[in-house]
Amino acid sequence: KAARQGGGSANRTEQSSRRGTGRHVDNWAVVVDTSRYWFNYRHVSNTLAVYRNLKRLGMPDSRIILMLADDMACNSRNTEPGSVHAENSRSVDLYGD
C-alpha cells in the first residue's frame, strides 16, 4: 500500500507538469454575444476581445465558434464605420483584426 501511494504522488506530479505544456489539442471555444443595438456596444467589443485573445494564444479558427450580432461595425452611430474598439484610445480594431 505504501508503494502505491508513493507512485501515485509521482504520477500526479508528472501529470501536473504536463498540464502546463500548452498542448491542448482537443479544446474548443464557444464565444457568444446575444446583445443587440448600439447601447450594448461594449458587449460586442468584449466578445471580440475574447476572440482576439484566443487567436493570440494559438487557438485555430477551426476550433472557435463565434456568434454575435453583426450590427456594431456598420451602425450609423459608429464614428469609425467598419471597426469596433474596446478602449477609448482606439488603438486596436477588434472587428477588422
Side-chain angles (χ1 to χ4, degrees):
K1 188 172 181 178
R4 259 195 269 158
Q5 287 176 348
S9 176
N11 190 25
R12 280 193 299 271
T13 304
E14 182 182 326
Q15 287 175 351
S16 65
S17 67
R18 280 187 293 179
R19 197 176 301 143
T21 62
R23 296 181 190 175
H24 301 286
V25 294
D26 291 333
N27 289 345
W28 283 79
V30 180
V31 185
V32 180
D33 171 38
T34 59
S35 299
R36 293 177 33 198
Y37 309 116
W38 183 252
F39 58 86
N40 289 318
Y41 182 96
R42 66 187 164 88
H43 300 166
V44 173
S45 67
N46 289 344
T47 303
L48 290 171
V50 169
Y51 169 74
R52 184 174 188 271
N53 284 330
L54 288 169
K55 295 286 291 173
R56 185 180 55 82
L57 293 171
M59 184 168 275
D61 273 332
S62 60
R63 296 280 183 164
I64 302 172
I65 299 171
L66 175 65
M67 294 184 275
L68 57 101
D70 196 16
D71 61 350
M72 293 303 161
C74 298
N75 190 298
S76 61
R77 295 177 186 156
N78 192 347
T79 58
E80 293 183 39
S83 62
V84 174
H85 301 279
E87 71 278 335
N88 289 335
S89 67
R90 299 184 182 274
S91 60
V92 178
D93 179 12
L94 298 170
Y95 189 76
D97 190 18

